[in-house]
Amino acid sequence: MNNKFKGTGVAIITPFKTDLSVDVEGLASLVRRQIDNGIDYIVVLGTTGESATLTKGEKELVKNTIITANNGQLPLVLGIGGNDTAGLVKEFQDTDLTSFDAILSVSPFYNKPTQEGIYQHYKALAAVATKPIILYNVPGRTASNMLPTTIKRLATDFKNIIGVKEAAGDIVQAMKLIAAVPKDFLVISGDDMITLPMVLAGGHGVISVIGQGLPSEFSKMVNLGLENKVKEAYELHYKIAPSIDMIFAEGNPAGIKALLQVKNWTEDTVRLPLVAASENLKKEIGDFVSNFK
């Protein structure tokens, strides 16, 4: 098993200044906070990083900023996904992955492929990938659910497909998945609220959103779960849980950016078509942060 991706990864935001430019200093500082507070690895340019609204040049800036700030301390995973398989194959081939340890690649969105189409998509990527691939199932965004049977096929057939970020938000599906895949295949929660039950059911950790705002507490909860210290883990879970509801109440990453602003870590600016969290939600988040001990 690839233990460098066991534990707590964070899908890191791209902080923007109020003029909508990339906040390089804020991003570097946020990376250092993850390193200092027990996070195990960082996922770069995922959905939470607003990669859909970054230019090619800005994506390079974000990658280079994170690589420099990280300075080789934590494993880095690069998000490279899309719904044009041929175009994505070329992107896999053209991208400099020297500083990255794996690729996180979302299941094709919008096209709504069949399970066979999803399998063939990842087969084409596995044939050209120079770094391990972590699958990403998030049917709430892609409009198609990658089933445990499909993930099992991919896990069995391709040695360089090493895990899946499972974000269907369905604990029953997650348990079926854990039971189906080979023991050395990483099943990683992509849903903060059911991370602990997934870990206790045999999962290997999380790629988290809330984790970057509460890095020491959330990573401690995951580690307690991995150590099967159930009571202590759930005590932390229930302390953190209200903030998870809050940060997703008006969409991601508006919510986590509001929390990070409350903590004076980064601004809460997002790019259209996303909008910043409402004043009411910011107050709720502020009250939570003030009372969180």
Side-chain angles (χ1 to χ4, degrees), residues 23 65 72 77 84 102 105 170 208 212 240 260 265-267 274:
D23 179 2
T65 300
V77 178
D84 168 13
S105 196
D170 181 341
S208 174
Q212 67 200 291
I240 295 166
L260 293 169
W265 288 7
T266 61
E267 293 292 334
L274 303 183

Side-chain angles (χ1 to χ4, degrees), residues 31-174:
V31 169
R32 288 191 290 269
R33 289 182 193 276
Q34 308 310 303
I35 296 166
D36 293 342
N37 284 282
I39 294 301
D40 296 300
Y41 61 100
I42 294 173
V43 177
V44 182
L45 293 177
T47 310
T48 304
E50 292 177 77
S51 56
T53 55
L54 295 176
T55 66
K56 191 172 181 181
E58 287 171 335
K59 287 179 181 179
E60 290 303 312
L61 177 61
V62 166
K63 285 193 286 188
N64 291 333
T65 300
I66 292 171
I67 290 165
T68 302
N70 183 54
N71 196 27
Q73 293 179 80
L74 298 183
L76 298 178
V77 178
L78 182 61
I80 312 179
N83 59 347
D84 168 13
T85 307
L88 199 55
V89 163
K90 187 170 189 315
E91 190 174 348
F92 267 49
Q93 292 170 320
D94 292 348
T95 302
D96 180 3
L97 296 169
T98 307
S99 299
F100 293 92
D101 298 87
I103 298 165
L104 179 69
S105 196
V106 68
S107 183
F109 43 84
Y110 188 74
N111 310 47
K112 295 183 78 170
T114 63
Q115 296 301 304
E116 185 61 27
I118 293 169
Y119 176 89
Q120 293 296 336
H121 171 82
Y122 282 116
K123 178 181 179 181
L125 299 184
V128 298
T130 57
K131 292 289 170 85
I133 297 171
I134 300 170
L135 312 173
Y136 182 12
N137 183 40
V138 57
R141 287 187 181 273
T142 64
S144 66
N145 186 17
M146 183 161 43
L147 297 177
T149 48
T150 302
I151 296 171
K152 179 185 178 182
R153 279 182 74 196
L154 290 164
T156 304
D157 292 352
F158 306 104
K159 293 300 177 200
N160 60 345
I161 296 180
I162 61 165
V164 60
K165 178 183 177 184
E166 174 54 48
D170 181 341
I171 191 64
V172 175
Q173 178 167 302

